[in-house]
Amino acid sequence: MSNDQRIHPSKMGGERASLTSFLDYQRTTLAMKCQGLNGEQLKRKPIATSGLSLLGLVRHAAEVERSWFRMVLSAEQGKALWPAVDGVYGEFLVEDADVDEAFAFWQEACAGSRAITDTFESLDDTVEFRGETISLRYVLTHMIEEYARHNGHADLLREAVDGVVDE
């Protein structure tokens, strides 16, 4: 994984540029953690006490992108790409998952999220969702946190799958 092609956020950028570039950096980090692995390796759940896999994290990222940007910020109606089964989030049930489909859905969701973000004039712009007022700033910050947390999981999963340790 030493072929790090991520674009590092500017240390001098404004708030909006900082938030969007940090989010893109985190997105690219997840992609990097999956780079070079085959479908079986991406589906592997190598930590005995966890149901997580790298592919499950990618599918989860697609769902989270869609829910926060399309459903919350754009008020679109939608159903989960991978519905829950017996109380387990469907995106984590990867045994029969299509790897290419998952990555395509995720990439599409990220592109859609960027486009939706661009429709907001200000980080202070808000929407009403289920009785709460939510700003674009909140969503971008939350998404950075979401990816950062799961990229920590991805670090451990990747190391357990093939021994690769890298930033």
Side-chain angles (χ1 to χ4, degrees):
M1 281 192 315
S2 60
N3 186 15
D4 185 351
Q5 297 183 0
R6 295 174 294 177
I7 297 171
H8 294 263
S10 169
K11 293 177 177 64
M12 297 295 293
E15 184 180 13
R16 186 180 187 123
S18 291
L19 290 172
T20 56
S21 64
F22 266 102
L23 179 52
D24 277 334
Y25 182 85
Q26 293 297 328
R27 289 170 173 144
T28 306
T29 298
L30 180 58
M32 190 177 83
K33 296 296 176 184
C34 298
Q35 189 175 21
L37 297 177
N38 64 35
E40 183 277 323
Q41 291 171 310
L42 290 166
K43 292 178 184 182
R44 193 178 300 162
K45 297 176 182 178
I47 300 172
T49 57
S50 173
L52 292 179
S53 67
L54 287 164
L55 187 60
L57 292 178
V58 168
R59 287 169 36 132
H60 179 65
E63 290 284 15
V64 173
E65 292 271 358
R66 290 177 72 247
S67 64
W68 279 102
F69 289 93
R70 289 177 64 183
M71 295 175 199
V72 174
L73 291 179
S74 289
E76 292 181 29
Q77 298 299 312
K79 296 180 181 176
L81 292 169
W82 303 283
V85 176
D86 296 327
V88 177
Y89 289 116
E91 61 260 39
F92 294 115
L93 304 173
V94 298
E95 292 76 16
D96 299 320
D98 182 314
V99 172
D100 292 333
E101 174 191 68
F103 277 90
F105 281 151
W106 178 45
Q107 291 166 353
E108 177 185 311
C110 292
S113 297
R114 287 183 196 96
I116 290 165
T117 297
D118 289 345
T119 67
F120 284 77
E121 190 169 314
S122 168
L123 293 172
D124 295 322
D125 288 351
T126 61
V127 297
E128 296 298 319
F129 184 76
R130 297 184 181 162
E132 291 187 284
T133 303
I134 301 173
S135 71
L136 174 61
R137 178 183 288 103
Y138 175 85
V139 172
L140 292 172
T141 303
H142 172 70
M143 290 298 296
I144 293 166
E145 178 272 331
E146 180 83 16
Y147 273 99
R149 179 169 27 95
H150 289 310
N151 283 338
H153 298 135
D155 285 337
L156 295 172
L157 291 167
R158 180 65 190 249
E159 183 177 5
V161 166
D162 70 353
V164 171
V165 180
D166 207 349
E167 169 67 271

